[in-house]
Amino acid sequence: MSGKQVFEVVFDAEGVAVGKMRNEVTLTARAPFTSVNMLATDEGPFQGGEGTAPTPLEFFLTGLVGCLMTQIRAFSRKLKIEVSDVKVRCRAEWTAETGTVGPYEGSPRGFHLDVDVVSDAPAEDVARLVEAAKRGCFVEQTLAVPNTVTHRLRINEGAWTDA
Amino acid sequence: MSGKQVFEVVFDAEGVAVGKMRNEVTLTARAPFTSVNMLATDEGPFQGGEGTAPTPLEFFLTGLVGCLMTQIRAFSRKLKIEVSDVKVRCRAEWTAETGTVGPYEGSPRGFHLDVDVVSDAPAEDVARLVEAAKRGCFVEQTLAVPNTVTHRLRINEGAWTDA
């Protein structure tokens, strides 16, 4: 990316462990707007949970599909390319393979998105809108690149160390 | 990844557009378990929504934090490294920059995770558990690599074309 910065997006997410496998995650938006929401994840019996909420992967995929759909509708207005309906379907696949440190390691196999649009606009305009939405969708752009993901670890309220 | 496959994870996510910016996403797990859940996203006034649900980025980050926390607890049992409490905090940043196709393009700036563990286990075992959880977390592993993301587009129920 070499464009001029338009705005920044900053979120803090803090998860606490409750129940057997349930996590309650508080999301605090810092920019470009401020908000606080809580979302809970759980696991079914496969992972030893109690099924009180959807799994983390379902939240992740909702973020992906919802982000692209949101960008299509938001950019529809900005680009003046009318869309009267949109549906997005995503097939997502991962493999768990034997690892060297833990029981298994995760590996993404790909994300295949079908974008189903109803519009009176010329087909080339709709295609341009969808292309713009893909580039504007923060989640898609995150999937497209190897990201900087850093970790710190603290045990029993001791010092933070890089992990 | 070059390990032996342990299991596959397959999800379908289908989003429909309702309201101004609200999306209702139906998640269907195909493997290794089967389930159906629905999660809704919306936007606040910043993006022209009505705030009936959290934003897609909040779902995405809940997936990330929830996945790592789930793996820590799941692998705690499998590796017999006791953990009596775990909290995870994530700072996530993106930039929107001027684009060539649409109003702006998204660019991830990084994900910084603080893992806060309470445990009577030796510190090196806790560190090994967290490392195993990072590798076992499907969302983290998805962020770590450039992913295959493909699109097809259909307009007014015509033919599907690659987009």
Side-chain angles (χ1 to χ4, degrees):
Chain A
M1 300 283 304
S2 57
K4 187 181 158 197
Q5 183 172 313
V6 182
F7 61 89
E8 267 189 315
V9 176
V10 180
F11 274 94
D12 286 319
E14 293 192 62
V16 295
V18 296
K20 285 183 181 174
M21 294 296 272
R22 180 179 166 96
N23 301 304
E24 294 180 352
V25 184
T26 300
L27 294 312
T28 305
R30 306 288 185 193
F33 54 85
T34 57
S35 66
V36 180
N37 282 302
M38 196 281 283
L39 289 167
T41 75
D42 201 347
E43 294 287 330
F46 178 77
Q47 281 274 41
E50 296 168 290
T52 63
T55 60
L57 285 183
E58 288 168 280
F59 283 88
F60 174 79
L61 290 174
T62 298
L64 171 59
V65 168
C67 188
L68 183 61
M69 294 181 73
T70 296
Q71 291 307 120
I72 289 171
R73 287 208 276 179
F75 284 180
S76 166
R77 287 199 301 268
K78 293 190 182 196
L79 296 173
K80 302 195 193 321
I81 299 172
E82 174 272 335
V83 161
S84 57
D85 196 16
V86 58
K87 292 186 180 71
V88 170
R89 182 175 183 278
C90 176
R91 163 63 61 104
E93 299 178 336
W94 290 266
T95 307
E97 296 170 359
T98 51
T100 51
V101 176
Y104 60 79
E105 299 187 1
S107 184
R109 285 287 173 249
F111 303 87
H112 305 289
L113 292 144
D114 282 348
V115 180
D116 203 354
V117 174
V118 178
S119 172
D120 289 333
E124 59 269 31
D125 285 353
V126 174
R128 180 163 57 93
L129 167 62
V130 171
E131 180 60 29
K134 287 156 55 176
R135 298 187 187 200
C137 171
F138 293 107
V139 178
E140 269 229 30
Q141 295 309 309
T142 301
L143 296 193
V145 296
N147 289 276
T148 301
V149 186
T150 62
H151 300 77
R152 296 192 308 166
L153 172 61
R154 182 171 78 160
I155 304 170
N156 300 331
E157 303 196 347
W160 287 103
T161 55
D162 292 337
Chain B
M1 299 284 304
S2 57
K4 189 180 158 198
Q5 184 173 312
V6 182
F7 61 90
E8 267 189 315
V9 177
V10 180
F11 273 94
D12 287 322
E14 293 191 64
V16 296
V18 297
K20 286 183 180 174
M21 294 297 271
R22 180 179 166 97
N23 301 304
E24 294 179 351
V25 184
T26 300
L27 292 311
T28 305
R30 307 287 185 194
F33 53 87
T34 58
S35 66
V36 180
N37 283 302
M38 197 280 283
L39 289 167
T41 76
D42 202 347
E43 293 288 330
F46 178 79
Q47 281 275 41
E50 297 169 289
T52 63
T55 60
L57 285 184
E58 288 168 282
F59 283 89
F60 173 78
L61 290 175
T62 297
L64 172 58
V65 168
C67 188
L68 183 61
M69 293 181 74
T70 296
Q71 291 306 120
I72 289 170
R73 287 206 278 179
F75 285 180
S76 166
R77 287 198 300 268
K78 293 189 182 196
L79 296 173
K80 303 196 192 322
I81 299 171
E82 173 272 337
V83 161
S84 56
D85 196 17
V86 57
K87 294 187 178 72
V88 170
R89 182 175 183 277
C90 176
R91 164 60 63 101
E93 299 179 337
W94 291 267
T95 307
E97 297 170 359
T98 52
T100 52
V101 176
Y104 60 78
E105 300 187 0
S107 185
R109 284 288 171 248
F111 302 87
H112 305 288
L113 291 143
D114 282 347
V115 180
D116 204 355
V117 173
V118 178
S119 172
D120 289 332
E124 57 268 30
D125 285 352
V126 174
R128 180 162 59 92
L129 168 62
V130 171
E131 180 61 28
K134 287 157 56 176
R135 297 186 187 199
C137 172
F138 293 107
V139 178
E140 269 230 32
Q141 295 309 307
T142 301
L143 296 192
V145 296
N147 289 278
T148 301
V149 187
T150 62
H151 300 77
R152 296 192 308 166
L153 172 62
R154 182 171 79 160
I155 304 171
N156 300 331
E157 302 196 348
W160 287 106
T161 56
D162 292 335

